[in-house]
Amino acid sequence: MRRRRLRASEKSAFLLLNGVRRVESGEVLKMEWGGEYSLDSSNLDCLLNILPGELEFQQILSDLDEKIKKNTSSIEQCLKDLQSEVNEIYTNEILQSTTDCLQWLNNCSFSSLRPSSTHHGELMEFLRTLQSLLKNEQNQEEMILHFLLDLSSQCGVSFPCTPSGTSFELTSSLHAIEDDSTMDVKSLWDDVRLHLRRFLVNRLQSQEETNTNALQQQREFKTQCIQQLLFLYPESEVLTKYQNMQNKLVSDLLQNCILSSCGETNFDKVVHGYQSSVPTLCTMIKEDLYILSGTIDPSSSLKFINETYLDTITEEMTVLLERLCELQFKENALHIVKANKISKKHRGTVHAVASQEYHKKGRNFCLTLYQLKCLSQLIKLFLLMEEKIDELSAEILFVPSFTEKNKNVQGVLKKASGELLIGETRANETSVLPEQLLQVEEPILLNFGWRNAFKDLSSSVAHCITIAIEDFSTKILQHEQKEEFSAAGCAMSLVNNQQMRESCRAVQQEEQPKRIAKFCSDIMEELDTLLPLALACRDDSLQEIRANFVEACSKVATAVLARLEEKSKDVPSKAPLQDLYAALSTAIYVFQHFTMYNNLMRETSKKPLFLVPVQQYQEFINVLQFQVTNYCVRVCATSILQDAESHHWDDCKAFYEGERCSFSVQMWHYFCCALHRDLWTILPPKTAQEILTDVLEQSLAILSSRYCQACPSYKRTPQIRIDIAAILMSTEDMLWSVCSSVQEFLNPHEDRDLKIYKIHSHCNSLLSVLAILTSPLKNLYETFLNNSDEQLPQDFSKVFYHPLHWLFCIPSSCSSLPKTPSAREMAAQGQLKLLLSQPYCNLNLLLETLLHHDCLLVKILLRSSRNEVLNHDEQCSLLEQINNKQPALIETIFTVLSYCTLSPKSLGIAFETYMEKEQLWNCLYNMTVSSCGELEPEVIRCLKLTLINSVKGIVKQIISLMHSWEATENYGMYQHKQIVPESLLKTVPKEWNYTPREMKRKESGKCFTRLAAQAVSIVISKLPTVIACLPPPVKYFFFLAERKMSRNFAELKKAGLLVWNLIVIICRIFEDGNTAELLTGATLDRWSKEKLSLVRVCLESIMGKQKSGPKQVTQKVIQSIEQQRPNWIESQLLKARKLSADCASLTVEGATLEEGGIALGFTEQKINMMVLDICHKPGGSEYLRQIYHIIWLNEEYLKEQLSCENFSEDGVTSSQCLPLTLMGREEQPVFNPFQVYRQSCVKVFNQSTITEWNWDWSNLLPSYLGLNQMTFRVLLAHRWEMKEGADLEDEEKVMVEHLKNVYLTQSTPTSEDKEE
């Protein structure tokens, strides 16, 4: 009885140490023993892949608090049991408190414990039996290992793990063996453990697997082997042996990669060899970090990685580069000798001096550009490897915020699966010296000295890199100049820059140039290839390489800048205008590149290295952008808008019978269209919008000034009206392109959007000219004068009109704009037009468009994506999409909307109509095992995947629990390993009181019930946290589905549809063992699958889903849980239900405060936050771009659908099948003015339509009562009726005279006022 209690306390101590080790690693404390302590105390899985709300935070924190309290109580109980047992046995060492227990565990040495006698003959017989089994029987090693571990943990026997060849003493924490012939026992034990060590080492050297699941199993297998070796030998000896094994693997791998290809070793071979070996090395390092993290402390793990991998790689690389240097030096020397022999006849003395100078330089030799590229690729590999190893060490060897002074507790060895393995003591290990303790406190860091291998090459690389850069840049510039001379007058050769190289991905898309000069692209591509040579510089030995690289790059930047300046000066005399755009785009590209170089090198250099080139290019970009804008405006002012025939305003003849606008206005529109196309095709989107805005604003200022000064004749007055109407329509078409947000379009502010505000101001001025100058005299008179009023209106200058006023006077734009200028929301057609008018995929605007007007555009996409009838070509494209694993449109939309945590209603609103039309609600209600086929609807599949990902942590924990029970209680696949022969059992010393596992299993009948109860408790306890961590849109979707449930379903699902489906998903995973294996990567045997099935039956019984009555085992499991915690299951389910309902209700309450749609309440900041959140999720940005591309491909179809005024979801069906594949965007054709006329001009302003417009003067003119008096008088004086000798009727004369008396005669403006 005494020994049994002590064994229980040992179990408590081992459990406690396990928990303490977990706390030190930064994890939440985890009790994994399935015994008499906490039933469901388990660690909280990291399920937070969203930003939680207040309710979610409360649930997560309460769950953490509850588990910490339970873990605390379990630890306290463990310590009390240990304290009582130790005090009972060892009266000379009384532990007063639990704190004393922790100190005792930390400092105890079991070698000082009182030994008990074990007969020498029994011990010899036992060891001889072990030796005989190992030598005479096959495949007994694994059984004996488990048997010895079982003896150690159950009976407290401590088998010595002394170093090989040292003195021997076998002791026990409970029993010490009476030793009469120590050497005989030592030789027997050494022979046994040597045989077992060979067996374990052979297993470690077995062939490695490559697939992911097998890699995880291999990692667990190796961890077990290492821990078993630590049971037999000291840590230092085991690590040394394992280190030698891994060291040899690394050396063989590197040598085989280099020597595998035939021929002589060269730079190219080295690069290809390391390209294939570095990923393997990173995988090996990751595996060993995981293995060692559960076995030894982080400092020792880092030391192991340094010595085993990093030092070995450095040594191999040093030897290899020395060999290459020798070969290259000999090759260069041979070339010099040959060159000297040839040149002696002509320049003997000169070359002799050069040869002497060369030899004085030592071992410097020349490297070609290709060899420099190979070295750069090699350094890039090491830089990436260095970064990867840093990430792995930070991820796996997590260092806590505090340090433990004494970490010499041997503790409990654990398998990777979490199994409690052994609790052995180390009796004969040497005590730790104070000097060693001081060394432990010093942090051990990763030390990858690969840069040392390149020291011998540094001077040669530094010398040759300057020559190589100057050489290839000069050749490229000369080649470009030759091409220019051979093709005089042609535009600059450009290349696409759509696929940015890896080094330039830091640049935002709106700032990325689209097309750049080919010669500059070639130069920067070469510089990018050599960049790693400069980035490798961290010590003095490689400083020269970076300095020469920076100097050479600065020279290249200056040469390219000079070439771009020449190109810009050739416009327009020798080169077309497109060369100016190309030069600007290329300069921006170079500027961004050198800025990126500067940022990358800032880590190793405190001062900016490319300051001068960056400043030069910044100045050039500013000057060139001004030059582009100024040139375009001057072209408009001096060429396009100089139209003597059209602008002969006092001509008595009508211009083309008053049926068309001026030539200058039409050509201005052509020029703006061509400018728009060129800017959008070549320049960065942001710069393109800035230039187009400037040109549009300044050209409108010119037009406004000229038309304000026009004094047309009676015949030319309709031409003024047609011209201004055409200008306004063209401006409206351009305005969608220059505005980058809805706010900027609908609410331009003078302080925030000055240029946009000025555009509106110019357009309103033009409209005022149209209204005052061309309106019928009668309407003007009735508006501005009553017949009885002889005075000016008192509030003449106080009437205010909105900046967007002019837009609502153009009938063609009414469908895209809001109903009134002060409206906060844009029409759906306008939102789509604004999105597709941008020069790039504006993700913020895209998301706003998708959420706009209760996801109207998304509803159309979903309705149109139903592929009920597909032709042959569409079927082929769909098969290609499936084979390429490209997400379908429905999956893409579902994923994006489920990421919109700040708009939780969007997912439900967008899919509600689709679910009803497709009759999919029933599939959601019956998401059982039978509905999990491959041909299920896409929406249901996406929802199911979301739920599966949310419960993955629970499934992994349950399977880990199963494995732990298998190992500790000897079930399943562990059972055959523990069938100990009767001959061996008979030789076990009786004093050890060993009970075989088979007998223990027969004695305990409650173990299956305890296991199932613990598994069920884990599932039920984690449900509220799982629901709290689900994305809010998914929770609202289930809330919406629940409201549509019939009464029958509602009765079955009192716990809530979301809770129901979560448990159904877990049951489906437990029922299908293959699914569980694929989901977790674990291997399940028949025993584990049977027990998982039992857990499934229990969960189904709890949810009332079983068709037949509960089985007896199921009842026992549920009763055992209820006995320990009455009504706990019901309270947890209600808690989960309440959490789901509360989150959804808060969503609904928040949504009722919005007016006019779910997107209206979102500011630009909130939209930006959602876009950032989506882009940080897996595939988020790609999903958004895929949706944008589909919208772009189907622009006309979507506009047609949105233009239906009486839009009915039920009445309108899609006749066109929406393309579901992402096709490559075709290159835009060269600008063709005739095509612009056919496509754009007919839509923008149809001149025949303009002449037939019926202007509503009664509504238009009153808005100009607030016009400035001076402006009104000047415009009124420009009317043809006000001229001397105008041919007027009597009624008109009376009105004109009255207007003159009131506005012109009383205070006639002076000539200076007129000019002003």
Side-chain angles (χ1 to χ4, degrees):
M1 189 68 182
R2 182 177 177 183
R3 278 193 287 268
R4 186 178 305 168
R5 286 200 307 270
L6 188 53
R7 285 198 296 269
S9 69
E10 274 197 312
K11 186 188 299 181
S12 305
F14 298 151
L15 175 59
L16 176 64
L17 289 175
N18 182 16
V20 171
R21 189 175 287 183
R22 282 279 182 176
V23 171
E24 288 177 355
S25 65
E27 299 179 19
V28 179
L29 187 59
K30 177 177 180 180
M31 294 299 167
E32 299 192 11
W33 186 265
E36 49 274 12
Y37 300 108
S38 179
L39 183 65
D40 65 338
S41 178
S42 55
N43 66 310
L44 178 68
D45 248 353
C46 184
L47 301 171
L48 298 178
N49 55 1
I50 61 166
L51 182 64
E54 184 177 355
L55 285 173
E56 288 84 352
F57 265 126
Q58 290 177 359
Q59 169 57 32
I60 293 165
L61 292 177
S62 65
D63 189 68
L64 276 172
D65 186 56
E66 180 182 355
K67 294 183 184 303
I68 289 173
K69 288 178 180 178
K70 291 180 180 178
N71 286 329
T72 304
S73 63
S74 297
I75 292 173
E76 289 177 354
Q77 187 62 40
C78 291
L79 288 172
K80 288 178 182 178
D81 291 346
L82 179 63
Q83 180 184 354
S84 62
E85 293 293 334
V86 172
N87 289 340
E88 185 177 351
I89 296 177
Y90 306 108
T91 55
N92 60 340
E93 189 175 1
I94 302 300
L95 303 179
Q96 301 293 337
S97 63
T98 54
T99 306
D100 294 339
C101 290
L102 286 174
Q103 188 175 1
W104 180 79
L105 282 170
N106 201 30
N107 300 320
C108 68
S109 175
F110 289 115
S111 60
S112 62
L113 296 179
R114 177 172 55 87
S116 60
S117 60
T118 300
H119 195 272
H120 178 261
E122 292 182 2
L123 182 59
M124 292 291 291
E125 184 182 1
F126 172 70
L127 292 177
R128 286 195 185 98
T129 306
L130 288 176
Q131 186 185 41
S132 176
L133 281 173
L134 289 172
K135 289 184 177 181
N136 301 325
E137 301 289 338
Q138 292 183 353
N139 302 325
Q140 296 297 310
E141 292 84 359
E142 191 170 1
M143 180 272 296
I144 290 177
L145 273 170
H146 281 273
F147 175 62
L148 292 176
L149 292 171
D150 196 21
L151 275 174
S152 179
S153 61
Q154 184 188 150
C155 305
V157 177
S158 176
F159 293 95
C161 57
T162 56
S164 303
T166 60
S167 60
F168 176 82
E169 182 182 357
L170 183 67
T171 60
S172 171
S173 58
L174 303 179
H175 315 280
I177 299 162
E178 187 177 343
D179 191 4
D180 294 331
S181 181
T182 305
M183 294 308 297
D184 292 337
V185 175
K186 177 185 182 303
S187 60
L188 282 173
W189 172 243
D190 279 349
D191 188 51
V192 169
R193 64 175 184 165
L194 180 61
H195 193 107
L196 294 175
R197 186 180 76 175
R198 289 171 180 169
F199 167 74
L200 292 172
V201 170
N202 289 334
R203 297 184 74 180
L204 282 173
Q205 293 175 337
S206 59
Q207 187 176 3
E208 298 184 353
E209 300 290 343
T210 54
N211 62 76
T212 306
N213 292 341
L215 284 175
Q216 182 176 353
Q217 296 171 19
Q218 176 181 291
R219 187 186 306 159
E220 296 174 1
F221 170 75
K222 284 190 173 183
T223 304
Q224 179 186 359
C225 291
I226 295 293
Q227 291 171 345
Q228 289 172 344
L229 281 170
L230 288 170
F231 173 73
L232 301 172
Y233 291 91
E235 180 181 294
S236 58
E237 188 170 342
V238 173
L239 290 181
T240 302
K241 180 66 177 176
Y242 186 61
Q243 182 175 333
N244 292 335
M245 290 169 48
Q246 296 299 94
N247 206 335
K248 187 176 184 304
L249 282 177
V250 174
S251 299
D252 292 344
L253 174 65
L254 294 176
Q255 292 174 8
N256 291 336
C257 288
I258 305 301
L259 302 177
S260 57
S261 55
C262 57
E264 195 173 317
T265 304
N266 52 33
F267 288 93
D268 200 15
K269 270 190 185 180
V270 173
V271 172
H272 289 301
Y274 275 88
Q275 280 177 342
S276 60
S277 60
V278 164
T280 307
L281 289 171
C282 289
T283 304
M284 293 171 64
I285 292 173
K286 180 179 181 181
E287 181 183 87
D288 278 347
L289 282 173
Y290 272 112
I291 292 171
L292 298 174
S293 63
T295 308
I296 59 177
D297 60 279
S299 297
S300 300
S301 299
L302 291 177
K303 182 181 178 183
F304 179 89
I305 297 299
N306 284 336
E307 296 176 354
T308 308
Y309 290 97
L310 306 186
D311 292 349
T312 306
I313 294 171
T314 302
E315 291 172 6
E316 293 289 338
M317 192 67 212
T318 303
V319 172
L320 194 60
L321 288 179
E322 286 178 356
R323 192 188 312 160
L324 289 175
C325 290
E326 289 288 342
L327 293 174
Q328 190 66 28
F329 184 77
K330 291 178 181 179
E331 184 178 349
N332 287 158
L334 183 62
H335 285 305
I336 291 173
V337 170
K338 290 182 178 179
N340 286 338
K341 288 181 179 180
I342 297 173
S343 60
K344 273 182 179 178
K345 300 177 181 179
H346 306 285
R347 295 183 252 177
T349 50
V350 175
H351 279 276
V353 173
S355 178
Q356 290 175 4
E357 290 180 356
Y358 179 81
H359 287 294
K360 288 179 183 179
K361 292 181 181 179
R363 295 183 56 82
N364 286 355
F365 48 84
C366 295
L367 293 169
T368 64
L369 177 61
Y370 182 75
Q371 290 172 336
L372 287 174
K373 288 181 180 179
C374 289
L375 287 175
S376 181
Q377 291 178 21
L378 196 60
I379 289 177
K380 184 178 180 181
L381 283 174
F382 285 122
L383 288 171
L384 294 174
M385 184 179 181
E386 193 173 51
E387 182 181 358
K388 179 67 175 177
I389 295 173
D390 281 337
E391 292 175 359
L392 289 173
S393 61
E395 175 188 350
I396 301 170
L397 303 178
F398 181 73
V399 180
S401 58
F402 60 90
T403 56
E404 192 76 20
K405 290 185 179 180
N406 193 356
K407 297 184 180 180
N408 298 316
V409 181
Q410 291 299 330
V412 183
L413 291 179
K414 294 182 61 182
K415 286 189 178 181
S417 62
E419 170 202 345
L420 183 66
L421 186 62
I422 58 174
E424 76 281 4
T425 58
R426 304 297 169 87
N428 296 303
E429 288 193 1
T430 309
S431 59
V432 181
L433 299 175
E435 294 80 0
Q436 293 173 326
L437 290 175
L438 290 175
Q439 291 176 1
V440 170
E441 291 180 359
E442 297 179 1
I444 296 178
L445 304 176
L446 287 171
N447 183 21
F448 196 3
W450 60 268
R451 290 174 177 81
N452 297 329
F454 290 86
K455 285 184 177 180
D456 291 342
L457 280 169
S458 59
S459 57
S460 298
V461 172
H463 174 70
C464 296
I465 195 171
T466 304
I467 300 174
I469 291 176
E470 292 178 355
D471 184 51
F472 71 68
S473 60
T474 303
K475 288 181 180 178
I476 293 173
L477 288 172
Q478 289 176 352
H479 179 71
E480 190 272 338
Q481 200 165 12
K482 288 180 182 179
E483 285 187 346
E484 181 186 7
F485 290 148
S486 61
C490 293
M492 193 186 306
S493 178
L494 304 180
V495 292
N496 288 331
N497 192 40
Q498 296 293 339
Q499 300 296 330
M500 295 293 290
R501 288 192 288 274
E502 182 181 357
S503 58
C504 306
R505 288 178 183 171
V507 180
Q508 297 293 330
Q509 187 185 4
E510 62 180 6
E511 298 176 354
Q512 293 179 5
K514 293 184 177 179
R515 288 175 69 82
I516 58 175
K518 184 180 183 303
F519 75 90
C520 182
S521 176
D522 294 340
I523 291 175
M524 299 311 297
E525 186 176 357
E526 298 287 352
L527 292 179
D528 284 346
T529 306
L530 298 177
L531 177 64
L533 293 172
L535 295 180
C537 174
R538 282 190 182 176
D539 51 18
D540 296 336
S541 61
L542 303 178
Q543 290 282 352
E544 189 181 0
I545 297 177
R546 185 179 66 185
N548 289 3
F549 178 82
V550 172
E551 182 182 357
C553 285
S554 300
K555 291 181 181 179
V556 170
T558 304
V560 172
L561 183 62
R563 187 74 187 114
L564 292 176
E565 289 175 346
E566 292 176 8
K567 288 283 186 181
S568 63
K569 291 176 183 178
D570 290 341
V571 178
S573 58
K574 299 180 181 179
L577 180 60
Q578 284 80 2
D579 277 16
L580 210 57
Y581 311 143
L584 177 57
S585 181
T586 304
I588 294 173
Y589 177 80
V590 178
F591 167 77
Q592 291 173 350
H593 250 70
F594 283 114
T595 303
M596 181 264 298
Y597 287 178
N598 199 42
N599 294 334
L600 289 175
M601 295 183 188
R602 187 175 295 173
E603 298 179 0
T604 55
S605 176
K606 296 181 180 179
K607 60 181 181 179
L609 300 176
F610 293 95
L611 183 61
V612 174
V614 167
Q615 289 179 347
Q616 289 177 343
Y617 273 87
Q618 185 65 67
E619 294 173 2
F620 178 69
I621 289 168
N622 294 334
V623 170
L624 202 57
Q625 185 170 343
F626 174 78
Q627 183 180 347
V628 169
T629 304
N630 189 47
Y631 177 81
C632 293
V633 173
R634 282 191 291 108
V635 166
C636 291
T638 59
S639 300
I640 296 176
L641 299 181
Q642 291 297 331
D643 187 3
E645 181 183 357
S646 300
H647 293 170
H648 189 190
W649 301 120
D650 56 353
D651 192 356
C652 296
K653 296 181 181 179
F655 182 71
Y656 283 83
E657 304 298 330
E659 295 181 354
R660 65 157 296 142
C661 67
S662 301
F663 294 126
S664 59
V665 173
Q666 190 169 1
M667 296 310 296
W668 173 76
H669 173 72
Y670 285 160
F671 178 79
C672 288
C673 289
L675 179 65
H676 176 276
R677 185 262 172 195
D678 288 338
L679 296 178
W680 260 230
T681 306
I682 298 175
L683 287 170
K686 186 177 180 180
T687 307
Q689 281 186 314
E690 290 176 357
I691 292 176
L692 184 61
T693 304
D694 287 339
V695 172
L696 184 61
E697 185 271 320
Q698 294 182 39
S699 60
L700 281 173
I702 296 172
L703 288 168
S704 175
S705 174
R706 291 188 179 181
Y707 280 93
C708 284
Q709 298 174 13
C711 300
S713 64
Y714 171 72
K715 292 290 187 180
R716 287 296 180 114
T717 297
Q719 184 189 351
I720 292 281
R721 185 185 305 142
I722 295 174
D723 281 3
I724 293 177
I727 292 170
L728 295 181
M729 293 176 68
S730 179
T731 304
E732 184 264 342
D733 186 60
M734 289 290 170
L735 193 63
W736 299 97
S737 299
V738 300
C739 294
S740 57
S741 67
V742 176
Q743 183 71 14
E744 191 176 2
F745 191 101
L746 292 181
N747 189 23
H749 197 274
E750 189 173 2
D751 298 331
R752 185 180 63 246
D753 313 304
L754 179 60
K755 294 177 182 178
I756 303 296
Y757 187 86
K758 285 184 177 181
I759 290 174
H760 287 293
S761 178
H762 296 323
C763 290
N764 280 314
S765 298
L766 286 169
L767 187 62
S768 65
V769 172
L770 182 146
I772 305 302
L773 203 60
T774 70
S775 60
L777 181 62
K778 184 177 180 180
N779 294 93
L780 183 70
Y781 179 80
E782 291 176 353
T783 301
F784 286 88
L785 280 180
N786 290 327
N787 292 331
S788 59
D789 192 0
E790 298 292 336
Q791 301 296 327
L792 291 172
Q794 295 296 323
D795 57 348
F796 194 89
S797 61
K798 295 181 181 180
V799 181
F800 174 77
Y801 59 91
H802 196 274
L804 268 66
H805 167 72
W806 67 276
L807 277 173
F808 293 88
C809 299
I810 305 176
S812 65
S813 63
C814 291
S815 61
S816 300
L817 292 172
K819 295 180 181 179
T820 60
S822 59
R824 296 170 57 199
E825 187 180 17
M826 184 177 285
Q829 297 94 320
Q831 192 83 32
L832 179 63
K833 187 174 182 179
L834 183 63
L835 171 66
L836 297 177
S837 298
Q838 301 303 302
Y840 70 110
C841 176
N842 189 328
L843 298 183
N844 287 22
L845 197 54
L846 171 62
L847 183 61
E848 188 176 356
T849 305
L850 294 177
L851 300 179
H852 186 268
H853 201 59
D854 289 340
C855 304
L856 177 59
L857 187 63
V858 175
K859 293 176 182 178
I860 296 175
L861 291 172
L862 290 174
R863 187 186 64 226
S864 306
S865 64
R866 292 181 294 174
N867 292 316
E868 296 174 356
V869 180
L870 296 176
N871 57 38
H872 177 71
D873 294 336
E874 290 167 341
Q875 288 177 356
C876 293
S877 66
L878 189 60
L879 289 174
E880 290 177 1
Q881 173 185 330
I882 295 173
N883 294 332
N884 295 333
K885 296 182 180 180
Q886 182 178 325
L889 176 61
I890 295 177
E891 179 186 352
T892 304
I893 293 174
F894 178 91
T895 305
V896 168
L897 295 183
S898 66
Y899 289 161
C900 295
T901 55
L902 295 180
S903 178
K905 286 183 63 180
S906 57
L907 181 66
I909 289 176
F911 278 90
E912 184 178 5
T913 306
Y914 177 80
M915 295 284 288
E916 290 175 354
K917 284 190 174 183
E918 298 293 324
Q919 299 179 353
L920 298 179
W921 292 119
N922 290 336
C923 296
L924 190 62
Y925 303 147
N926 297 307
M927 197 183 290
T928 57
V929 176
S930 58
S931 67
C932 293
E934 297 180 357
L935 299 178
E936 59 189 351
E938 194 73 21
V939 185
I940 304 300
R941 188 184 68 84
C942 292
L943 281 169
K944 191 174 295 184
L945 286 175
T946 303
L947 299 185
I948 288 173
N949 288 329
S950 66
V951 301
K952 188 183 294 185
I954 296 179
V955 176
K956 286 183 177 180
Q957 190 172 343
I958 299 298
I959 291 178
S960 176
L961 177 68
M962 294 292 172
H963 285 166
S964 177
W965 274 74
E966 280 185 309
T968 56
E969 299 298 330
N970 189 28
Y971 294 119
M973 63 181 180
Y974 290 87
Q975 187 172 351
H976 73 278
K977 300 176 183 178
Q978 290 282 45
I979 302 177
V980 183
E982 191 67 26
S983 59
L984 180 59
L985 290 175
K986 289 179 181 179
T987 61
V988 176
K990 293 181 180 180
E991 190 178 357
W992 293 359
N993 197 19
Y994 174 69
T995 304
R997 292 282 183 132
E998 292 83 357
M999 295 180 63
K1000 287 181 62 181
R1001 189 169 61 252
K1002 293 175 182 177
E1003 293 173 0
S1004 61
K1006 299 180 180 180
C1007 53
F1008 291 118
T1009 304
R1010 279 187 17 231
L1011 172 61
Q1014 189 172 358
V1016 171
S1017 298
I1018 290 173
V1019 174
I1020 300 299
S1021 65
K1022 277 184 169 284
L1023 277 177
T1025 305
V1026 169
I1027 289 177
C1029 296
L1030 277 173
V1034 175
K1035 284 186 278 192
Y1036 179 79
F1037 189 92
F1038 278 97
F1039 173 79
L1040 189 64
E1042 216 169 298
R1043 291 168 60 182
K1044 296 179 178 294
M1045 289 170 58
S1046 64
R1047 293 184 178 180
N1048 295 331
F1049 286 121
E1051 290 295 328
L1052 288 174
K1053 301 175 178 61
K1054 290 182 179 179
L1057 185 62
L1058 181 55
V1059 178
W1060 169 274
N1061 277 303
L1062 283 172
I1063 295 182
V1064 166
I1065 290 292
I1066 294 173
C1067 292
R1068 188 259 187 269
I1069 294 171
F1070 287 168
E1071 183 183 36
D1072 186 2
N1074 295 331
T1075 303
E1077 290 180 341
L1078 289 174
L1079 191 65
T1080 62
T1083 302
L1084 300 176
D1085 59 0
R1086 183 176 178 182
W1087 183 90
S1088 298
K1089 292 179 181 179
E1090 289 177 355
K1091 299 314 160 191
L1092 287 177
S1093 180
L1094 175 61
V1095 175
R1096 173 186 62 83
V1097 173
C1098 294
L1099 291 173
E1100 289 178 349
S1101 179
I1102 290 173
M1103 297 304 295
K1105 186 174 170 291
Q1106 279 187 312
K1107 296 180 180 179
S1108 59
K1111 299 179 181 179
Q1112 185 177 3
V1113 179
T1114 306
Q1115 289 179 341
K1116 288 183 179 180
V1117 171
I1118 298 175
Q1119 286 175 2
S1120 67
I1121 299 174
E1122 290 293 334
Q1123 286 175 1
Q1124 289 199 1
R1125 284 184 282 186
N1127 300 323
W1128 176 75
I1129 295 177
E1130 185 177 355
S1131 66
Q1132 283 293 108
L1133 294 177
L1134 289 177
K1135 186 178 180 181
R1137 162 76 168 170
K1138 183 177 183 299
L1139 188 64
S1140 175
D1142 288 348
C1143 293
S1145 62
L1146 284 178
T1147 299
V1148 175
E1149 290 174 6
T1152 56
L1153 299 177
E1154 299 173 4
E1155 301 175 2
I1158 62 175
L1160 185 57
F1162 291 119
T1163 61
E1164 291 184 10
Q1165 289 78 10
K1166 287 187 177 180
I1167 291 289
N1168 188 49
M1169 285 176 61
M1170 283 196 287
V1171 169
L1172 288 175
D1173 191 31
I1174 291 172
C1175 292
H1176 286 133
K1177 298 292 177 57
S1181 58
E1182 294 303 320
Y1183 287 148
L1184 284 172
R1185 296 183 198 284
Q1186 181 181 350
I1187 295 174
Y1188 175 82
H1189 198 78
I1190 292 175
I1191 292 174
W1192 179 80
L1193 290 173
N1194 299 271
E1195 178 181 1
E1196 296 302 324
Y1197 166 73
L1198 294 174
K1199 286 181 179 178
E1200 178 186 347
Q1201 294 292 314
L1202 291 172
S1203 63
C1204 301
E1205 294 183 5
N1206 300 323
F1207 186 83
S1208 172
E1209 294 283 351
D1210 298 327
V1212 180
T1213 57
S1214 173
S1215 58
Q1216 178 181 351
C1217 187
L1218 198 67
L1220 296 179
T1221 55
L1222 278 175
M1223 298 184 297
R1225 186 165 184 166
E1226 297 179 0
E1227 185 67 26
Q1228 295 185 5
V1230 179
F1231 177 76
N1232 185 350
F1234 298 104
Q1235 185 178 4
V1236 172
Y1237 177 79
R1238 289 192 301 269
Q1239 295 180 356
S1240 180
C1241 289
V1242 174
K1243 296 177 183 178
V1244 174
F1245 55 93
N1246 190 333
Q1247 299 191 49
S1248 60
T1249 305
I1250 295 175
T1251 56
E1252 297 172 2
W1253 273 1
N1254 185 16
W1255 292 87
D1256 190 357
W1257 303 109
S1258 59
N1259 287 329
L1260 178 62
L1261 289 173
S1263 61
Y1264 289 98
L1265 289 172
L1267 195 64
N1268 180 271
Q1269 292 186 30
M1270 182 62 66
T1271 304
F1272 177 77
R1273 287 168 180 165
V1274 170
L1275 292 177
L1276 182 64
H1278 289 173
R1279 288 182 66 96
W1280 69 272
E1281 296 95 340
M1282 301 297 171
K1283 295 179 180 180
E1284 295 292 335
D1287 187 11
L1288 301 173
E1289 297 180 358
D1290 294 339
E1291 183 181 0
E1292 292 176 337
K1293 289 180 180 180
V1294 173
M1295 290 188 288
V1296 168
E1297 191 67 25
H1298 196 182
L1299 286 170
K1300 284 182 177 181
N1301 291 335
V1302 175
Y1303 291 103
L1304 302 180
T1305 306
Q1306 289 185 359
S1307 58
T1308 305
T1310 62
S1311 60
E1312 291 82 8
D1313 294 332
K1314 289 183 180 179
E1315 291 177 2
E1316 183 180 359

